[in-house]
Amino acid sequence: MTRNGSRPAPGRGLLLREGEAEQATFVELFFDLAMVFILSRLVAQAFDVLVRAPDSAGWLVLGHTLLLFLPLMRVWTLTTYLTARFDPRRPLVQAFVIASVFGVLVFGVSVAQAFDARAVPFACTYIAMQAGRTLAISLLGTVPEVRRVYLRSLCWYAATSVPWLIGAVTNGHTRTALWGGAMLVEYAASALGWPVPRLGASLANLWEVAARYLAERYQQLLMISLGEPLLSVGVAFTQVPPSPFRITALAVAFTTTVLLWRLYFHVAGQLVGAAALAASRPARVGRVAGAAHLIMVLGIITTSIGHDLVETRPDRHTPLAWSFVILVGPVVFLIGRSMLEYVVFARVSASRLAGIVALAALIAPLALIPPLAVSSIAATVLLLIAAGDTRRAHRHPHEQPTPP
């Protein structure tokens, strides 16, 4: 039986048909709970180092946080594509998802020392989740075209496993370079359709058959991410003596999170699935929309780190690394949001581009003022962009998607 009670088409095995994968099941929501944990660990890890060493080690930890974020997003994406292609109500598919939950849990407990004592378990867990799971699906799959997809990706996962393992047993910049190179190769191979000699290459067409489902899953991921700034800044507030500056910082963090939510869901964020269905090339629109969501999640996580930093010392000196984190979070979010606007409406608002340029240009100058003032300016820029979106909505009510 499928999600809506109908039976799968004969000969299609576990492959879902168009219209069947439109809502997440409980096992998928269970997987999202593990994502909450590891996102909070990424924020806590970066925050701890930036507080202790904002100048020297701060820049390095930001690079490490990004490098840990990228494989996490690959795990989430592969799991989401798995449940979009196969029926998650089947016990075997549920077993794959639950195994992914455990893998993400291991990720989370390894984050703090992923570039130190726990490098081996971190790398081995990632290899098991990507290469191991892909191998199992390619062996158990009953649909030839689906098996070829997983066999092609398995070849690439096997190749990238080598630098992951070598990096796990090396140290310092060598490990960072090997892991970063492995992620670069993996993302490039995915974008090219996992090309393999004799097996060919094909870009994922799941957005053509499960656009609404995938759009909903990316929306859920973004909502999970938006909960992280509220959670982390609330915890940070309880761990320091209250003061008028810290109360103000809490209000600014809340306002910023609300604005990020507003900027995402205002029209474009709600029309991702409809835009993919209306596009002449749904797979292309879907891939760009998916990448836009991951970029926005990175922006939200970076913004959350900035909020925590402000809460600790709202009225003191702002190190350059702090100013960078506080402002680059909204910048990255706006870049992702601009990509989403383009694939939904084939345009990018001037206010969004102006906001990106303004925030990026202010990173160095605003290092001269207290952190609370820096975060307040970032929130003001977001507010002006949101106001521009509202004015446009009044001029163009009921706007429909016009994907490129």
Side-chain angles (χ1 to χ4, degrees), residues 29-333:
L29 299 178
F30 180 53
F31 174 71
D32 289 346
L33 292 178
M35 295 294 297
V36 174
F37 170 66
I38 191 170
L39 289 176
S40 67
R41 295 308 305 151
L42 286 174
V43 171
Q45 167 67 6
F47 166 76
D48 290 342
V49 176
L50 285 168
V51 168
R52 295 195 308 268
D55 296 318
S56 56
W59 297 103
L60 181 61
V61 76
L62 289 176
H64 284 177
T65 301
L66 174 61
L67 190 49
L68 295 175
F69 174 82
L70 293 176
L72 172 65
M73 290 299 99
R74 287 300 304 165
V75 169
W76 185 89
T77 301
L78 184 60
T79 303
T80 299
Y81 280 15
L82 172 70
T83 54
R85 179 172 279 120
F86 302 107
D87 188 350
R89 297 173 62 179
R90 302 290 184 104
L92 182 59
V93 180
Q94 290 180 350
F96 281 126
V97 176
I98 293 173
S100 301
V101 173
F102 181 73
V104 171
L105 178 63
V106 175
F107 261 27
V109 299
S110 302
V111 160
Q113 295 181 303
F115 287 88
D116 194 6
R118 295 182 179 174
V120 172
F122 182 86
C124 290
T125 300
Y126 183 68
I127 292 171
M129 282 197 291
Q130 299 296 81
R133 181 171 55 176
T134 304
L135 173 62
I137 296 173
S138 62
L139 293 176
L140 296 173
T142 58
V143 183
E145 59 266 32
V146 174
R147 292 189 66 183
R148 283 194 294 272
V149 169
Y150 281 95
L151 283 173
R152 285 197 301 269
S153 59
L154 175 62
C155 294
W156 283 97
Y157 286 134
T160 56
S161 295
V162 176
W164 273 104
L165 290 174
I166 297 175
V169 297
T170 56
N171 296 301
H173 297 304
T174 302
R175 174 179 295 156
T176 302
L178 287 170
W179 286 4
M183 288 312 306
L184 179 62
V185 169
E186 184 175 331
Y187 272 91
S190 176
L192 295 173
W194 308 105
V196 174
R198 297 188 179 183
L199 292 178
S202 66
L203 295 171
N205 63 351
L206 282 173
W207 282 90
E208 298 177 2
V209 297
R212 296 190 185 280
Y213 166 79
L214 289 172
E216 179 185 299
R217 291 295 289 139
Y218 278 104
Q219 290 167 350
Q220 290 165 350
L221 175 66
L222 200 100
M223 285 301 298
I224 289 171
S225 304
L226 285 171
E228 171 53 35
L230 300 179
L231 174 64
S232 62
V233 77
V235 172
F237 183 81
T238 62
Q239 294 177 344
V240 292
S243 70
F245 289 110
R246 290 194 171 101
I247 294 173
T248 304
L250 183 67
V252 171
F254 174 76
T255 302
T256 301
T257 305
V258 172
L259 288 170
L260 295 177
W261 165 80
R262 168 67 176 175
L263 288 171
Y264 170 71
F265 278 104
H266 183 72
V267 186
Q270 303 179 51
L271 297 177
V272 179
L277 291 175
S280 58
R281 298 172 62 186
R284 175 180 175 273
V285 169
R287 287 193 302 274
V288 177
H293 279 80
L294 300 186
I295 293 172
M296 284 187 285
V297 170
L298 178 61
I300 293 169
I301 297 306
T302 308
T303 302
S304 179
I305 298 170
H307 288 165
D308 291 358
L309 294 172
V310 174
E311 201 62 52
T312 59
R313 297 195 320 226
D315 56 339
R316 306 286 183 87
H317 168 68
T318 305
L320 180 59
W322 286 29
S323 177
F324 177 83
V325 171
I326 295 169
L327 295 178
V328 85
V331 167
V332 172
F333 178 87

Side-chain angles (χ1 to χ4, degrees), residues 368-383:
L368 302 174
I369 63 177
L372 178 56
V374 179
S375 64
S376 298
I377 291 173
T380 301
V381 172
L382 294 176
L383 178 62

